[in-house]
Every structure is written in structure tokens, then in C-alpha cells.
Amino acid sequence: MEFESSSRIWDGVYHYPHLFGGIMLTCALLGISTSYFGVQSLPYLLPDLRIFHKKNYEKKRIRVYMDGCFDLMHYGHANALRQAKALGDELVVGVVSDEEIIANKGPPVLSMQERLALVSGLKWVDEVIASAPYAITEEFMHRLFNEHNIDYIIHGDDPCLLPDGTDAYALAKKADRYKQIKRTEGVSSTDIVGRILSSVKDIKVNKECSESPCHGKSENLNDSQGRESLAKGGHVSHFLPTSRRIVQFSNGKGPGPNARVVYIDGAFDLFHAGHVEILKSARQLGDFLLVGIYADQTVSDLRGTQFPLMNLHERSLSVLACRYVDEVIIGAPWEVTKDVITTFNISLVVHGTIAESNSLLNRTSDPYAVPKSMGIFRMIESPKDITTTSVAQRIIANHEIYMKRNAKKQASEKKYYTEKKYVSGD
């Protein structure tokens, strides 16, 4: 106690010299010797110095808000929220309601509960507000400032316009409580919908070619020229992976010396709520979760040439962004070998009960034969029955609606890439 009191006194002297000088001068004029007041006596004669201690050491935590539809969640969404978190200490995320999305953009692919699970599963998110409005209204903005103690509202540098053409964030900008981040190029929900719709065409072409000769059709995905021709058609990824981006998403920490390392592998294509929940369940079984992500060729060999919908680096970033994941193997082997188990000191290998149907899989081989023989394999119940295929089927079942919506969005995407200029920061 004596040390703390003395520390506060000298902090006060250092930061408020004029105030203390005035107090000491007053004591001198009153004929009171300052030598009479030792350091032990000063706390009782001077004002409560805890105010100095509080002012010097307590810093207000900055709370920032970012909203979105977060439909077909991808690494671009994750990177936007990572950038938003960097502008403050606590990140609150608003997930726009289904009704608002329908009114402003058309029907969402994922339900509100699925989108909430995806957003809550991101490592940079501190709080989530469900059923947020699409536009920042004056009433909602006051709620953010007064009820949620938000300091700034964040959005990307790409324009967000309402159906009437007005800026959805005009009020936040007018209140001088708006901050902007850089858009993550290379992916968008519109782009992903386009890839899914394109994959349906690929399946039809392959089926036709299997039934009768294609006679050199460029759409034939069984030859490399056909693949290149399709890529030039507009559904090639614009994503340019860099080591810096991977570092930004990575935890940068390995397992402790006695950590129980749990391993789970898969394609993790079109990252969805089912992935989040199974990763959460796997993480609870140990101290460190290592996720193996299959290479593109492995996924194609297992499921067909139209897969994966997202390439290896895109899928890796989506998995790394999940709060339950500690590390990933980029391009993991399909078979879990003794070498993999020894290299990463794996204690337990797990697999969910819900998985994609690998139609091209050789049924005679078991990728988990080694961990099973070692007694370190476990099947865990998948909390959700969602798969990449089931999500894609929602779009395919309503393809006319999404094709119409995408036609307009793809035009604006094309314009963006044609006219884009360098924007600093990310």
C-alpha cells in the first residue's frame, strides 16, 4: 500500500508539476515546513491522487462496428473483418436480416443462423448483432453509439448503394464516425455463385461427352485446352496469394511441448457453417487443432473436374480465419501416414459423420488405416448436416433467380476490375 501511494504521488508530480508546485508554495507561505510532511504524510494532506493513477494508466477501448450480409462467407469477408479489428480494440459485427437482403439484393443462399455461425466463428469478431439493417439509419446509428458504445462504423472502399442510389453509410460519414478499409480483391459472393453455376454447365458437358464424342468442343474439361477456354470465360479466380496474407491470417504459434494435437482433414470447399461446427468439436478434444487441406488435384480426383469451387489458397485462408483452428497443412495428403503423424506429433485423428460423397473414390483404400491401427482415430458427430454440395444445390435449384441477379452484379464487378486503381493499406 505504501509503495502504491508513493508511486501515485510521484506520477502526479511528474504529470502535474504546476499543480504540485502551487500546493507546495502555499504550504511554504503558511509557514509550514515541507520537511514536516514526509512521503508517508502527503497522501493524507493532498487531494486523492488516484485520479492521476487512473488517468495515466486507463485507456479507453475503441469499439468498431462493421456489418454485412456475409452470404457464402469467404476469405474476402474474413479479411475485411481483420482490417476492421485493426482499427480498434473490439469488433462488433452486424449480420443483415434475411428480409433486408431480399429487399435490397435478392434471396440469400444461407439462412440467418448459418451466417451467424460463420461470423461468430471468425477469430477477429468479439460480438455479433443479429438482424442488423442493410442501411445505417439514424435510429440504428444512435443505438450503436449509445447502447453498444460504438466509436466508429467501418466499411470497404467499394460503394454500397441502396436501391434508390443513395449511400448506405451517408449518415455515419456525416457524423464523422466512419472509417474505410481496403476491399479484398479476387473474390466476392457474386463470383462464387458464378463458379457454382458454371460448374453445373461443366457437369452437363462432361455427361454429353461421356455419352457421345464431343468432336473438339472447347468446353470439354477433360482436356487442358477446354479448361483454359472455360477459365477465359469469366469464372477464373482473381485471387493472387501472397505470403504476407497467409501470415496475417495465421496465429503464428506452434503447439506446446506437451500439447495434445488433434488432426482433421478435408477439402473445406465453399466454407460453411458445418465446417465451423465440426472444427469447434474437434478443437474441444485437445489443445491444438491442426487442419489438413487437400490439394486441388486431390479434390478433383475424388469429386470430379468441376471441383474444387475454391482453389487451395482460398480454402486455406477460410480455414485459417476460423477461431478454432491453430494451424493448417496446405496441400495435405489424402492418406494420413505414419510420417504425417510423427512429424506433427499428432495425438488424435478425427473425422465427421457428415461428409461429401466421393463418387470417384477407390473404395478399397482407407485414408485413415494407419491412425486406426495405432488406436488414435475417432469418428465425431457432425453438429450440422450441411455440405458443400447441399449449399451449391440451393443455388442450382433457384438458378434462374441467381443468374438474373448475377448478370447485374457481374457487370459491376467487371467495371470495377477495368477501372480499379491502387488503394493503399490492407
Side-chain angles (χ1 to χ4, degrees):
M1 287 296 293
E2 291 179 358
F3 174 77
E4 291 181 1
S5 296
S6 299
S7 175
R8 289 200 297 269
I9 290 170
W10 296 120
D11 284 347
V13 171
Y14 180 80
H15 293 283
Y16 299 89
H18 299 296
L19 174 60
F20 271 77
I23 292 172
M24 299 307 291
L25 179 59
T26 301
C27 291
L29 291 173
L30 292 172
I32 304 174
S33 173
T34 57
S35 64
Y36 177 78
F37 300 103
V39 172
Q40 304 300 327
S41 303
L42 277 171
Y44 303 102
L45 293 176
L46 300 179
D48 187 354
L49 297 175
R50 282 176 295 182
I51 58 172
F52 305 119
H53 184 76
K54 184 176 181 180
K55 287 183 179 179
N56 293 336
Y57 293 101
E58 281 190 9
K59 178 185 176 184
K60 182 184 182 300
R61 293 183 66 78
I62 301 300
R63 286 168 61 85
V64 296
Y65 172 84
M66 187 171 189
D67 59 16
C69 301
F70 303 108
D71 198 22
L72 293 178
M73 189 87 178
H74 50 71
Y75 64 89
H77 292 133
N79 192 48
L81 295 174
R82 179 193 66 80
Q83 292 181 76
K85 178 63 178 283
L87 295 176
D89 302 300
E90 298 172 4
L91 174 61
V92 180
V93 180
V95 180
V96 178
S97 68
D98 293 345
E99 295 76 18
E100 289 271 300
I101 297 175
I102 292 170
N104 289 277
K105 300 180 71 172
V109 178
L110 304 181
S111 69
M112 168 61 79
Q113 291 306 314
E114 290 172 331
R115 291 183 288 118
L116 285 174
L118 283 163
V119 173
S120 300
L122 287 175
K123 63 175 69 174
W124 300 286
V125 176
D126 297 296
E127 296 177 27
V128 177
I129 299 174
S131 299
Y134 187 80
I136 301 292
T137 62
E138 191 164 355
E139 178 187 358
F140 185 69
M141 187 169 69
H142 287 311
R143 272 185 58 198
L144 290 177
F145 296 158
N146 300 325
E147 295 179 23
H148 298 282
N149 299 316
I150 298 300
D151 295 288
Y152 296 102
I153 295 170
I154 316 294
H155 188 64
D157 59 7
D158 52 321
C160 183
L161 303 178
L162 299 174
D164 62 3
T166 58
D167 186 352
Y169 296 90
L171 288 175
K173 293 176 180 177
K174 185 177 180 181
D176 199 25
R177 303 282 285 273
Y178 176 85
K179 287 191 176 184
Q180 187 169 280
I181 58 171
K182 183 178 179 180
R183 165 185 165 139
T184 303
E185 297 181 0
V187 70
S188 66
S189 296
T190 302
D191 171 53
I192 294 173
V193 169
R195 297 188 204 186
I196 293 171
L197 293 174
S198 180
S199 73
V200 178
K201 296 177 184 177
D202 301 343
I203 294 171
K204 289 180 179 178
V205 169
N206 281 336
K207 185 177 180 181
E208 290 173 3
C209 290
S210 66
E211 294 174 351
S212 60
C214 287
H215 302 297
K217 287 183 181 180
S218 62
E219 298 90 358
N220 183 3
L221 296 184
N222 290 320
D223 61 69
S224 58
Q225 289 182 343
R227 287 174 180 264
E228 185 177 350
S229 176
L230 180 64
K232 290 178 181 178
H235 293 296
V236 64
S237 170
H238 290 279
F239 176 54
L240 301 175
T242 63
S243 59
R244 182 165 174 264
R245 181 71 75 224
I246 293 174
V247 170
Q248 289 171 336
F249 274 53
S250 174
N251 288 348
K253 295 180 181 179
N258 300 312
R260 179 176 169 82
V261 179
V262 178
Y263 180 74
I264 185 171
D265 59 6
F268 296 97
D269 197 14
L270 203 63
F271 200 73
H272 52 70
H275 291 138
V276 174
E277 296 299 334
I278 195 67
L279 291 173
K280 180 180 180 180
S281 297
R283 181 64 175 79
Q284 292 171 343
L285 297 175
D287 309 304
F288 190 92
L289 182 59
L290 175 65
V291 181
I293 304 173
Y294 297 154
D296 292 345
Q297 188 60 53
T298 301
V299 180
S300 294
D301 291 343
L302 294 173
R303 300 177 190 167
T305 53
Q306 67 274 15
F307 295 104
L309 296 167
M310 312 291 286
N311 68 42
L312 177 59
H313 287 95
E314 292 175 316
R315 292 181 284 119
S316 297
L317 288 180
S318 292
V319 174
L320 274 173
C322 182
R323 67 170 69 250
Y324 307 112
V325 176
D326 295 292
E327 180 64 290
V328 301
I329 299 176
I330 302 175
W334 180 62
E335 182 180 351
V336 183
T337 63
K338 181 68 166 63
D339 180 61
V340 169
I341 293 170
T342 302
T343 299
F344 294 98
N345 195 28
I346 295 170
S347 304
L348 181 66
V349 178
V350 300
H351 189 65
T353 53
I354 301 295
E356 293 289 338
S357 174
N358 298 321
S359 57
L360 305 182
L361 180 64
N362 181 359
R363 301 291 179 182
T364 61
S365 59
D366 182 357
Y368 305 108
V370 172
K372 285 178 180 178
S373 68
M374 297 173 65
I376 61 169
F377 177 81
R378 185 190 302 182
M379 289 291 292
I380 57 176
E381 190 70 27
S382 297
K384 294 183 181 293
D385 60 358
I386 309 168
T387 64
T388 299
T389 301
S390 70
V391 173
Q393 285 295 337
R394 300 178 194 180
I395 295 172
I396 295 168
N398 298 283
H399 67 278
E400 291 184 2
I401 295 173
Y402 290 108
M403 284 180 70
K404 184 177 180 180
R405 188 181 79 175
N406 258 34
K408 182 179 179 180
K409 295 287 290 182
Q410 284 175 346
S412 62
E413 289 276 313
K414 186 176 180 180
K415 181 180 180 182
Y416 171 82
Y417 282 107
T418 302
E419 301 176 356
K420 78 171 185 178
K421 298 178 181 179
Y422 174 74
V423 179
S424 63
D426 66 340

